[in-house]
Amino acid sequence: MKRRTLLQWASLAAAGEAGAQAAPLTRAIPSTGERIPLVGLGTWITFNVGSDPPARAQCAEVMRAFFDAGGRLVDSSPMYGSSQDVIGDGLRTLRAQQRVFSADKVWTGGDGAAQLEQSRRRWQVPRFDLMQVHNLLAWERQLPLLQAMKDRGQLRYVGITTSEGRRHREFEEIMRTQRLDFVQFTYNLLDREAEQRLLPLAADRGIAVLVNRTFQEGELLRKLERRKLPPWAAEIECTSWAQFALKFAVSHPAVTCAIPATRRVDHVRENLAVARGPLPDEPMRRRMAAYVSGA
Amino acid sequence: MTEWWSYGLADFLMFSPPVYWRLVQRYNEAWWPGQLLATGAALALPLLLRTGRVAAQRLALLLLAAAWAWVGWAFHWQRYTEIFLGAPWLAALAVVEAVLLAGMAFLQPAPAGHAAHGIAWGLLAAALLYPLLAPLTGHAWSEAEVFGFMTDPTALGTLGAVAALRGWPAWSRVTLAALPMLSLLLGLATRWLIAR
């Protein structure tokens, strides 16, 4: 039996008892064993729509499609403008406060607890599942706060984030020395620096990994769409460049969940479909990266 | 934050172009037909300034002060803050410009000032005609940026008026021109980013 086929079976097994058709593939959070779907929902730019009712309704429809397809983890930040309010509206409309795996960030050099409480009210959830220190801002002050809140049961998981390769050395040091459940950083077909140190370290330390910018805010797809999808992409059931890019990101064994952002229902369905089909094995991942590097 | 150097200009654009233009559209719709009144004010500016009379020029500066105060409150503070975290700062800058204009209106000008250069009338005309950019760039009229409602045409009108003032001290003109020029640079950067 080919390794790829083995991987397919392993993936299907991980889909759980709810049925391979219905439930997306999941990965375990190392610190607890809790499983979350491989594909989440980011909200940078896409959910920052202000108070415009039609745009908010559109975001709620995206969330509906996301949850209907089995998605759970939604990620935001106080830095994302009105996104937290828009998520809160959507969760209330869909009555999905218990269903969502809520991931947000603390982004201040000041009173992190006050900001976190403001974020919680905007999300309209009883508590956050995951709270991360955004871009390592004042992490020396905010991480102990988050850990204390976790110890009191006010949070479930604690993490740190960065993006676009910023401060990787310091990020790595924090991963080595602090108690972390999650880390979040950029990983995609072109930005693969994390493969060198951060991803292996996360696997070694038992830290869950969220990956952002899987499409480089659309820049990667705009580059790729100048070419036709290679015929061999059908072997891993990719029907678009977006699925190709997303499959690459989530198939790294150390990645727990990717969080592509979108404001389109068809795109969120397409993204979640990635967590249903087969995932590329290592030779296929190398082939994907080589193909895109030559693009 | 020691890594600011690693951020590109695009990293500060936290909303999508359709969301920005929809915001402008909703803002315009909420205050229609106030834009006609504001356009009337833009038309009045060159007429007031051409007279060269001190009272007329003071009135022009007070009109501009009102325009900046309105842009700061009605657009930046009431609307733009919904989607842009830097909007309160822009609102504050607009209010500072309004205060400066109102304060400078009561300076005593020199009795024999120079007549305005053609560039001043060109800038004032640009402020008046700025809404035409909407249809010319494929946007609806409801997304037009009007003097007294949006920053860029208001900044153009201010620069034109400052250049057209007769007898006002040079330091006061430089002071009044600084924030509009900064606003135009920010506006240009925003336009460039959302057009990408």
Side-chain angles (χ1 to χ4, degrees), chain B residues 90-129:
Chain B
L90 298 178
L93 288 180
V95 170
V96 167
E97 181 67 12
V99 170
L100 287 173
L101 283 158
M104 304 279 186
F106 295 98
L107 288 178
Q108 194 56 47
H114 295 290
H117 195 274
I119 200 167
W121 309 120
L123 287 166
L124 286 163
L128 186 64
L129 300 174

Short mmCIF file of all heavy atoms in Angstrom, two decimals, chain B residues 90-129:
data_model
loop_
_atom_site.label_atom_id
_atom_site.label_comp_id
_atom_site.label_asym_id
_atom_site.label_seq_id
_atom_site.Cartn_x
_atom_site.Cartn_y
_atom_site.Cartn_z
N LEU B 90 -6.65 60.90 13.39
CA LEU B 90 -6.97 61.75 12.24
C LEU B 90 -8.03 62.79 12.63
O LEU B 90 -7.97 63.94 12.20
CB LEU B 90 -7.47 60.90 11.07
CG LEU B 90 -6.46 59.88 10.52
CD1 LEU B 90 -7.08 59.07 9.39
CD2 LEU B 90 -5.20 60.59 10.02
N ALA B 91 -8.97 62.36 13.47
CA ALA B 91 -10.00 63.30 13.94
C ALA B 91 -9.34 64.42 14.75
O ALA B 91 -9.68 65.60 14.59
CB ALA B 91 -11.02 62.55 14.80
N ALA B 92 -8.39 64.05 15.59
CA ALA B 92 -7.70 65.05 16.41
C ALA B 92 -6.93 66.04 15.53
O ALA B 92 -6.96 67.26 15.76
CB ALA B 92 -6.75 64.36 17.39
N LEU B 93 -6.26 65.52 14.49
CA LEU B 93 -5.52 66.41 13.58
C LEU B 93 -6.46 67.38 12.88
O LEU B 93 -6.14 68.56 12.70
CB LEU B 93 -4.77 65.57 12.53
CG LEU B 93 -3.56 64.78 13.01
CD1 LEU B 93 -2.93 64.02 11.85
CD2 LEU B 93 -2.52 65.71 13.63
N ALA B 94 -7.63 66.87 12.48
CA ALA B 94 -8.60 67.73 11.80
C ALA B 94 -9.09 68.84 12.74
O ALA B 94 -9.24 70.00 12.32
CB ALA B 94 -9.78 66.90 11.30
N VAL B 95 -9.29 68.50 13.99
CA VAL B 95 -9.74 69.51 14.96
C VAL B 95 -8.63 70.53 15.21
O VAL B 95 -8.90 71.74 15.31
CB VAL B 95 -10.21 68.83 16.28
CG1 VAL B 95 -10.43 69.86 17.37
CG2 VAL B 95 -11.49 68.03 16.02
N VAL B 96 -7.41 70.07 15.29
CA VAL B 96 -6.27 71.00 15.46
C VAL B 96 -6.24 71.98 14.29
O VAL B 96 -6.08 73.20 14.49
CB VAL B 96 -4.93 70.22 15.57
CG1 VAL B 96 -3.74 71.16 15.42
CG2 VAL B 96 -4.86 69.47 16.89
N GLU B 97 -6.41 71.48 13.08
CA GLU B 97 -6.40 72.36 11.90
C GLU B 97 -7.56 73.35 11.98
O GLU B 97 -7.39 74.54 11.64
CB GLU B 97 -6.49 71.51 10.62
CG GLU B 97 -6.48 72.30 9.32
CD GLU B 97 -5.15 73.01 9.04
OE1 GLU B 97 -4.17 72.71 9.72
OE2 GLU B 97 -5.13 73.87 8.13
N ALA B 98 -8.71 72.88 12.44
CA ALA B 98 -9.87 73.78 12.57
C ALA B 98 -9.58 74.90 13.56
O ALA B 98 -9.88 76.08 13.29
CB ALA B 98 -11.10 72.98 13.01
N VAL B 99 -8.95 74.53 14.67
CA VAL B 99 -8.63 75.54 15.70
C VAL B 99 -7.60 76.54 15.16
O VAL B 99 -7.73 77.76 15.36
CB VAL B 99 -8.11 74.84 16.99
CG1 VAL B 99 -7.53 75.86 17.96
CG2 VAL B 99 -9.24 74.05 17.64
N LEU B 100 -6.61 76.03 14.44
CA LEU B 100 -5.59 76.90 13.86
C LEU B 100 -6.21 77.88 12.87
O LEU B 100 -5.91 79.08 12.87
CB LEU B 100 -4.51 76.07 13.15
CG LEU B 100 -3.54 75.29 14.04
CD1 LEU B 100 -2.65 74.39 13.19
CD2 LEU B 100 -2.67 76.26 14.85
N LEU B 101 -7.09 77.37 12.02
CA LEU B 101 -7.73 78.22 11.01
C LEU B 101 -8.57 79.31 11.69
O LEU B 101 -8.52 80.49 11.30
CB LEU B 101 -8.61 77.38 10.08
CG LEU B 101 -7.85 76.59 9.01
CD1 LEU B 101 -8.68 75.42 8.51
CD2 LEU B 101 -7.45 77.51 7.86
N ALA B 102 -9.33 78.89 12.71
CA ALA B 102 -10.19 79.86 13.41
C ALA B 102 -9.32 80.91 14.11
O ALA B 102 -9.64 82.11 14.10
CB ALA B 102 -11.09 79.14 14.41
N GLY B 103 -8.22 80.45 14.72
CA GLY B 103 -7.34 81.39 15.42
C GLY B 103 -6.65 82.36 14.47
O GLY B 103 -6.63 83.57 14.70
N MET B 104 -6.14 81.82 13.37
CA MET B 104 -5.40 82.65 12.40
C MET B 104 -6.32 83.61 11.66
O MET B 104 -5.83 84.60 11.08
CB MET B 104 -4.68 81.76 11.37
CG MET B 104 -3.74 80.74 11.98
SD MET B 104 -2.14 81.42 12.42
CE MET B 104 -1.26 79.94 12.90
N ALA B 105 -7.60 83.32 11.65
CA ALA B 105 -8.55 84.21 10.94
C ALA B 105 -8.50 85.61 11.54
O ALA B 105 -8.78 86.59 10.85
CB ALA B 105 -9.96 83.64 11.02
N PHE B 106 -8.14 85.69 12.81
CA PHE B 106 -8.19 86.99 13.48
C PHE B 106 -6.83 87.66 13.62
O PHE B 106 -6.67 88.62 14.35
CB PHE B 106 -8.89 86.83 14.84
CG PHE B 106 -10.32 86.44 14.66
CD1 PHE B 106 -10.73 85.11 14.77
CD2 PHE B 106 -11.27 87.39 14.29
CE1 PHE B 106 -12.04 84.75 14.55
CE2 PHE B 106 -12.59 87.01 14.05
CZ PHE B 106 -12.97 85.70 14.18
N LEU B 107 -5.85 87.13 12.89
CA LEU B 107 -4.56 87.83 12.82
C LEU B 107 -4.75 89.12 12.04
O LEU B 107 -5.65 89.23 11.20
CB LEU B 107 -3.52 86.96 12.10
CG LEU B 107 -2.97 85.73 12.84
CD1 LEU B 107 -1.99 85.00 11.93
CD2 LEU B 107 -2.29 86.13 14.15
N GLN B 108 -3.91 90.11 12.33
CA GLN B 108 -3.99 91.37 11.59
C GLN B 108 -3.08 91.27 10.36
O GLN B 108 -1.87 91.21 10.49
CB GLN B 108 -3.54 92.53 12.50
CG GLN B 108 -3.90 93.90 11.97
CD GLN B 108 -5.41 94.05 11.70
OE1 GLN B 108 -6.24 93.68 12.53
NE2 GLN B 108 -5.77 94.56 10.52
N PRO B 109 -3.65 91.24 9.15
CA PRO B 109 -2.81 91.11 7.96
C PRO B 109 -2.07 92.40 7.64
O PRO B 109 -2.50 93.49 8.04
CB PRO B 109 -3.81 90.77 6.86
CG PRO B 109 -5.09 91.34 7.32
CD PRO B 109 -5.08 91.32 8.82
N ALA B 110 -0.97 92.27 6.90
CA ALA B 110 -0.25 93.45 6.41
C ALA B 110 -1.14 94.17 5.41
O ALA B 110 -1.90 93.54 4.69
CB ALA B 110 1.05 93.00 5.74
N PRO B 111 -1.06 95.52 5.38
CA PRO B 111 -1.99 96.27 4.53
C PRO B 111 -1.84 95.99 3.03
O PRO B 111 -2.82 95.91 2.32
CB PRO B 111 -1.65 97.74 4.84
CG PRO B 111 -0.39 97.74 5.62
CD PRO B 111 -0.16 96.38 6.16
N ALA B 112 -0.63 95.77 2.55
CA ALA B 112 -0.49 95.56 1.11
C ALA B 112 0.04 94.16 0.83
O ALA B 112 1.25 93.95 0.78
CB ALA B 112 0.48 96.59 0.52
N GLY B 113 -0.86 93.22 0.70
CA GLY B 113 -0.43 91.85 0.40
C GLY B 113 -0.33 91.63 -1.09
O GLY B 113 -0.87 92.38 -1.89
N HIS B 114 0.42 90.56 -1.46
CA HIS B 114 0.55 90.22 -2.88
C HIS B 114 -0.74 89.57 -3.39
O HIS B 114 -1.43 88.88 -2.65
CB HIS B 114 1.72 89.25 -3.08
CG HIS B 114 3.03 89.88 -2.74
ND1 HIS B 114 3.60 90.85 -3.53
CD2 HIS B 114 3.87 89.69 -1.69
CE1 HIS B 114 4.76 91.22 -2.97
NE2 HIS B 114 4.93 90.55 -1.87
N ALA B 115 -1.02 89.76 -4.67
CA ALA B 115 -2.17 89.08 -5.28
C ALA B 115 -1.86 87.60 -5.39
O ALA B 115 -0.70 87.19 -5.47
CB ALA B 115 -2.40 89.67 -6.68
N ALA B 116 -2.92 86.81 -5.36
CA ALA B 116 -2.74 85.35 -5.35
C ALA B 116 -2.15 84.85 -6.66
O ALA B 116 -2.44 85.37 -7.73
CB ALA B 116 -4.08 84.68 -5.10
N HIS B 117 -1.33 83.82 -6.52
CA HIS B 117 -0.74 83.15 -7.67
C HIS B 117 -1.80 82.23 -8.30
O HIS B 117 -2.72 81.80 -7.62
CB HIS B 117 0.45 82.34 -7.17
CG HIS B 117 1.36 81.87 -8.26
ND1 HIS B 117 1.15 80.71 -8.95
CD2 HIS B 117 2.48 82.43 -8.79
CE1 HIS B 117 2.10 80.57 -9.85
NE2 HIS B 117 2.93 81.60 -9.77
N GLY B 118 -1.62 81.94 -9.57
CA GLY B 118 -2.58 81.07 -10.27
C GLY B 118 -2.75 79.71 -9.63
O GLY B 118 -3.82 79.11 -9.69
N ILE B 119 -1.69 79.23 -8.99
CA ILE B 119 -1.75 77.90 -8.37
C ILE B 119 -2.82 77.84 -7.27
O ILE B 119 -3.45 76.81 -7.04
CB ILE B 119 -0.37 77.46 -7.84
CG1 ILE B 119 -0.33 75.96 -7.66
CG2 ILE B 119 0.00 78.16 -6.55
CD1 ILE B 119 1.08 75.41 -7.45
N ALA B 120 -3.01 78.99 -6.60
CA ALA B 120 -4.02 79.04 -5.54
C ALA B 120 -5.40 78.77 -6.13
O ALA B 120 -6.18 77.96 -5.58
CB ALA B 120 -3.99 80.41 -4.87
N TRP B 121 -5.71 79.43 -7.25
CA TRP B 121 -7.03 79.21 -7.86
C TRP B 121 -7.15 77.79 -8.41
O TRP B 121 -8.21 77.19 -8.37
CB TRP B 121 -7.29 80.24 -8.98
CG TRP B 121 -7.03 81.65 -8.52
CD1 TRP B 121 -6.15 82.53 -9.02
CD2 TRP B 121 -7.68 82.32 -7.41
NE1 TRP B 121 -6.17 83.70 -8.33
CE2 TRP B 121 -7.10 83.61 -7.32
CE3 TRP B 121 -8.65 81.96 -6.47
CZ2 TRP B 121 -7.47 84.54 -6.37
CZ3 TRP B 121 -9.03 82.88 -5.51
CH2 TRP B 121 -8.44 84.15 -5.46
N GLY B 122 -6.01 77.25 -8.86
CA GLY B 122 -6.01 75.87 -9.36
C GLY B 122 -6.36 74.88 -8.25
O GLY B 122 -7.15 73.95 -8.44
N LEU B 123 -5.78 75.10 -7.07
CA LEU B 123 -6.07 74.21 -5.93
C LEU B 123 -7.52 74.34 -5.48
O LEU B 123 -8.18 73.34 -5.15
CB LEU B 123 -5.12 74.53 -4.77
CG LEU B 123 -3.66 74.09 -4.95
CD1 LEU B 123 -2.75 74.75 -3.92
CD2 LEU B 123 -3.57 72.57 -4.82
N LEU B 124 -8.02 75.57 -5.48
CA LEU B 124 -9.42 75.77 -5.09
C LEU B 124 -10.36 75.12 -6.10
O LEU B 124 -11.38 74.53 -5.71
CB LEU B 124 -9.71 77.27 -4.96
CG LEU B 124 -9.11 77.91 -3.71
CD1 LEU B 124 -9.06 79.43 -3.83
CD2 LEU B 124 -9.89 77.50 -2.46
N ALA B 125 -10.00 75.20 -7.38
CA ALA B 125 -10.82 74.54 -8.40
C ALA B 125 -10.76 73.02 -8.22
O ALA B 125 -11.78 72.32 -8.36
CB ALA B 125 -10.32 74.93 -9.79
N ALA B 126 -9.58 72.51 -7.88
CA ALA B 126 -9.44 71.06 -7.67
C ALA B 126 -10.32 70.59 -6.52
O ALA B 126 -10.94 69.52 -6.58
CB ALA B 126 -7.98 70.72 -7.39
N ALA B 127 -10.38 71.41 -5.45
CA ALA B 127 -11.22 71.05 -4.30
C ALA B 127 -12.69 70.99 -4.72
O ALA B 127 -13.43 70.08 -4.33
CB ALA B 127 -11.04 72.08 -3.18
N LEU B 128 -13.10 71.95 -5.54
CA LEU B 128 -14.50 72.01 -5.99
C LEU B 128 -14.84 70.84 -6.90
O LEU B 128 -15.92 70.24 -6.80
CB LEU B 128 -14.71 73.34 -6.72
CG LEU B 128 -16.13 73.68 -7.14
CD1 LEU B 128 -17.03 73.86 -5.92
CD2 LEU B 128 -16.15 74.97 -7.98
N LEU B 129 -13.90 70.50 -7.77
CA LEU B 129 -14.16 69.46 -8.79
C LEU B 129 -13.80 68.05 -8.32
O LEU B 129 -14.01 67.09 -9.04
CB LEU B 129 -13.38 69.79 -10.07
CG LEU B 129 -13.73 71.13 -10.73
CD1 LEU B 129 -12.79 71.41 -11.89
CD2 LEU B 129 -15.19 71.14 -11.18
#
